[in-house]
């Protein structure tokens, strides 16, 4: 599990680094206006929609011929790392044209999708135990947070410095080094993760496809969670460079605030991971959103108090640890729920569905930030008027606060805890062992309803068959219709 989770260090280093700094790089380093930068990020949104689905199809095809997740990770690691290094070397190379930037960003995000889909889908095979998946989510975020520390202490200050001094050599070497570190990390992860998903067991491959049951309440709920997680919550980190530079007028405090955010995440990883053994992932995720909301409010009240801003950033980071780590464990459980309900283990398809939404919404948020700043009259490097500063506060604090409140309401509908998931696995085991087909499900949401399916994909059984099923050993706890 640790070997698998270590891949998140490299993934977060390049994708998290780009996510946090690329808008500032485009506007304040490469000289694009807000509308041009937003257009590029919208272009990236469209690219993500294509790349993640194409990557899922490639993974399904390669798994069918015996080339599994590890082979795919190794194949795409070097091109992705090289594309990331190129983006941050473009200012030093004098490559400022918009079409050049668009090509580099598309190549990077396309290669990253080929890495990201199989690496995340592998989580459903690393362990099938709900508690263990909570721990794996914590391990993943631990490695992601370690890379966030590197981003806060190295990449972010270099991007800021390049915007002020117009010296780009150090930024180029750092980008190339980060791309190389990503490639080496993913190759190590592929080598050390053993044979999981290499050829695929019958259970892992059964019925896997891109098309997922979009009308299933569990799938809809995970999609809504993906949109909130990708669009709203990261706005604080994306706007932190703007808030520090133009709102509180303390640009040198940005690395300190990012370090506090990262330190809070480290503490949150340890706390939330320890709690996953006792509490369901959905309850802990709702609690994480609540802590994040409190941190955002505290940060807003401390705009004139530097020490309070640092404390607020740490509290936000503590909550973000739950916000960004636990949805992946919920998604792995959703694979089992959908398998129970529809008779197909849509492992690759469900992870691709979630990734498309979370990454496209993230890029859409970056594009929205660019458009809003452009409409407000933002001028890079200048003293910003009150309206622009107020807009920055709304984007950086108001949007994630609203997202946290909506996520808390959504998560109240999730009812799949550790005990119910364990009973669901036992019922799936009985079905795979040749027991009588079943229908109906508790999809992890209250008041779920809809058409059931047999293992062969037929229509739902009759009410009498469901009543008989409810008398079986495993079904009373696993089925709630």
């Amino acid at each position: 599990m640790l070997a698998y989770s270590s891949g998140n260090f490299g993934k977060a280093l390049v994708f998290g680094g780009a996510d946090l700094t690329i808008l500032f790089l485009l506007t304040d380093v490469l000289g694009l206006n807000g509308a041009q930068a937003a257009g590029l990020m919208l272009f990236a949104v469209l690219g993500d929609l294509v790349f993640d689905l194409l990557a899922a199809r490639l993974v399904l095809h390669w798994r069918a011929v015996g080339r599994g997740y590890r082979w795919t990770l190794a194949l795409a690691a070097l091109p992705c790392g090289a594309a990331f290094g190129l983006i941050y070397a473009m200012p030093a190379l004098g490559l400022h044209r918009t079409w050049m930037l668009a090509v580099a960003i598309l190549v990077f995000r396309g290669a990253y999708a080929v890495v990201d889909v199989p690496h995340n889908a592998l989580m459903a095979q690393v362990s099938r135990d709900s508690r263990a998946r909570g721990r794996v989510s914590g391990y993943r975020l631990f490695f992601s947070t370690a890379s966030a520390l590197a981003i806060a202490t190295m990449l972010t200050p270099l991007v800021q410095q390049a915007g002020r001094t117009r010296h780009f050599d150090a930024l180029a070497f750092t980008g190339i080094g980060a791309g190389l570190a990503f490639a080496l990390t993913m190759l190590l992860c592929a080598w050390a993760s053993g044979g999981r998903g290499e050829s695929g067991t019958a259970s892992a491959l059964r019925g896997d496809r891109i098309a997922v049951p979009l009308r299933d309440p569990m799938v809809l709920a995970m999609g809504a969670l993906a949109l909130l997680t990708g669009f709203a919550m990261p706005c604080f980190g994306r706007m932190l460079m703007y808030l520090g530079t133009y709102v509180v007028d303390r640009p040198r405090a940005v690395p300190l605030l990012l370090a506090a955010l990262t330190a809070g995440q480290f503490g949150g990883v340890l706390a939330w991971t320890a709690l996953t053994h006792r509490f369901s992932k959905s309850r802990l995720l709702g609690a994480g959103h609540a802590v994040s909301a409190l941190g955002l409010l505290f940060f807003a009240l401390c705009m004139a108090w530097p020490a309070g801003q640092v404390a607020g950033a740490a509290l936000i980071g503590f909550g973000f640890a739950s916000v960004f780590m636990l949805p992946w464990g919920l998604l792995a459980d959703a694979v089992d729920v959908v398998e129970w309900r529809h008779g197909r283990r849509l492992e690759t398809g469900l992870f691709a569905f979630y990734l498309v939404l979370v990454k496209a919404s993230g890029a859409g948020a970056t594009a929205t930030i660019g458009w809003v700043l452009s409409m407000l009259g933002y001028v890079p490097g200048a003293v910003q008027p009150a309206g622009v500063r107020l807009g920055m506060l709304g984007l950086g604090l108001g949007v994630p606060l609203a997202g946290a409140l909506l996520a808390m309401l959504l998560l109240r509908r999730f009812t799949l805890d550790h005990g119910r998931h364990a009973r669901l696995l036992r019922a799936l085991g009985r079905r795979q062992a040749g027991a009588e087909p079943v229908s109906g499900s508790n999809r992890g949401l209250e008041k779920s309803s809809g058409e059931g399916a047999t293992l062969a994909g037929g229509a739902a059984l009759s009410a009498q068959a469901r009543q008989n099923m409810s008398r079986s050993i495993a079904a009373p706890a696993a089925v709630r219709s």
Side-chain angles (χ1 to χ4, degrees):
M1 291 191 293
L2 284 170
Y4 160 74
S5 302
S6 66
N8 272 61
F9 181 87
K11 286 170 54 180
L13 189 62
V14 295
F15 198 82
D19 193 48
L20 190 64
T21 64
I22 196 162
L23 187 62
F24 195 87
L25 177 75
L26 293 174
T27 58
D28 286 53
V29 177
L30 293 171
L32 275 66
N33 60 46
Q36 289 175 318
L40 272 181
M41 296 316 300
L42 180 61
F43 196 47
V45 171
L46 300 177
D48 282 338
L49 293 174
V50 176
F51 293 143
D52 283 316
L53 295 176
L54 180 61
R57 291 188 65 88
L58 288 174
V59 169
L60 289 172
H61 172 73
W62 286 334
R63 291 183 73 198
V65 298
R67 298 183 183 273
Y69 292 143
R70 296 167 64 210
W71 186 86
T72 310
L73 292 178
L75 177 69
L78 288 175
C80 182
F84 178 84
L86 175 62
I87 291 174
Y88 287 84
M90 291 180 80
L93 297 174
L95 304 177
H96 293 192
R97 294 186 179 180
T98 304
W99 70 268
M100 296 178 180
L101 295 168
V103 169
I105 291 173
L106 282 182
V107 171
F108 164 66
R109 297 180 82 98
Y112 184 85
V114 181
V115 170
D116 202 27
V117 170
H119 182 263
N120 283 299
L122 186 58
M123 184 178 181
Q125 295 186 18
V126 170
S127 176
R128 297 200 70 183
D129 179 74
S130 180
R131 292 179 175 84
R133 284 171 173 172
R135 293 197 301 274
V136 173
S137 299
Y139 300 157
R140 283 164 51 105
L141 189 63
F142 177 84
F143 285 106
S144 297
T145 307
S147 70
L149 184 61
I151 294 170
T153 56
M154 290 186 290
L155 184 60
T156 301
L158 285 172
V159 172
Q160 286 185 295
Q161 181 181 358
R164 293 193 306 267
T165 65
R166 317 305 296 173
H167 295 157
F168 307 128
D169 291 344
L171 179 63
F173 283 117
T174 302
I176 294 172
L180 180 61
F182 162 81
L184 293 176
T185 302
M186 297 313 302
L187 291 173
L188 177 63
C189 173
W191 172 78
S193 292
R196 296 189 180 275
E198 201 62 71
S199 60
T201 63
S203 174
L205 290 172
R206 183 178 62 252
D208 202 354
R209 61 185 185 183
I210 292 180
V212 296
L214 295 178
R215 294 183 179 181
D216 190 290
M218 189 68 169
V219 177
L220 287 173
M222 292 306 304
L225 186 62
L227 293 175
L228 291 173
T229 304
F231 185 92
M233 307 314 295
C235 280
F236 177 76
R238 293 188 182 105
M239 290 300 302
L240 199 53
M241 297 179 72
Y242 294 94
L243 293 175
T245 303
Y246 299 111
V247 177
V248 300
D249 197 22
R250 295 175 58 236
R252 295 184 182 276
V254 173
L256 178 61
L257 292 174
L258 286 173
L261 187 71
T262 305
Q265 285 185 331
F266 269 122
V269 167
L270 299 176
W272 300 118
T273 303
L275 291 172
T276 55
H277 183 73
R278 295 188 57 189
F279 301 99
S280 68
K281 293 185 286 292
S282 57
R283 288 184 61 186
L284 293 177
L285 183 54
H289 278 283
V291 173
S292 302
L294 291 175
L296 290 165
L297 290 172
F298 187 78
F299 190 95
L301 296 174
C302 298
M303 300 308 297
W305 183 26
Q309 294 169 19
V310 173
L315 186 60
I316 294 169
F318 190 93
F320 277 4
S322 170
V323 169
F324 294 127
M325 98 183 201
L326 291 175
W328 298 104
L330 283 177
L331 185 59
D333 290 349
V335 172
D336 300 323
V337 173
V338 172
E339 180 182 6
W340 167 271
R341 170 147 175 79
H342 299 276
R344 296 183 178 92
R345 188 164 180 81
L346 305 175
E347 188 175 283
T348 306
L350 282 170
F351 275 90
F353 163 76
Y354 187 86
L355 284 168
V356 165
L357 292 181
V358 76
K359 289 201 292 187
S361 61
T366 305
T368 301
I369 290 172
W371 279 323
V372 171
L373 291 179
S374 178
M375 289 187 295
L376 292 175
Y378 166 70
V379 178
V383 176
Q384 306 301 326
V388 175
R389 296 197 302 271
L390 187 61
M392 289 178 175
L393 284 172
L395 291 169
L397 301 178
V399 172
L401 179 60
L405 297 177
L406 290 174
M408 290 165 62
L409 292 175
L410 174 66
L411 288 164
R412 294 182 62 185
R413 309 291 295 173
F414 281 74
T415 61
L416 187 66
D417 57 17
H418 296 317
R420 288 175 180 169
H421 183 261
R423 292 190 288 272
L424 175 65
L425 290 184
R426 289 196 293 271
L428 283 171
R430 285 170 51 81
R431 173 189 286 179
Q432 294 167 12
E436 69 275 14
V438 295
S439 69
S441 69
N442 172 18
R443 290 177 291 280
L445 299 172
E446 292 179 352
K447 300 180 181 178
S448 300
S449 62
E451 181 184 9
T454 65
L455 180 59
L461 298 179
S462 65
Q464 180 64 39
R466 289 196 298 271
Q467 185 177 3
N468 293 337
M469 175 60 201
S470 69
R471 299 192 187 104
S472 70
I473 295 174
V479 181
R480 295 183 61 185
S481 58

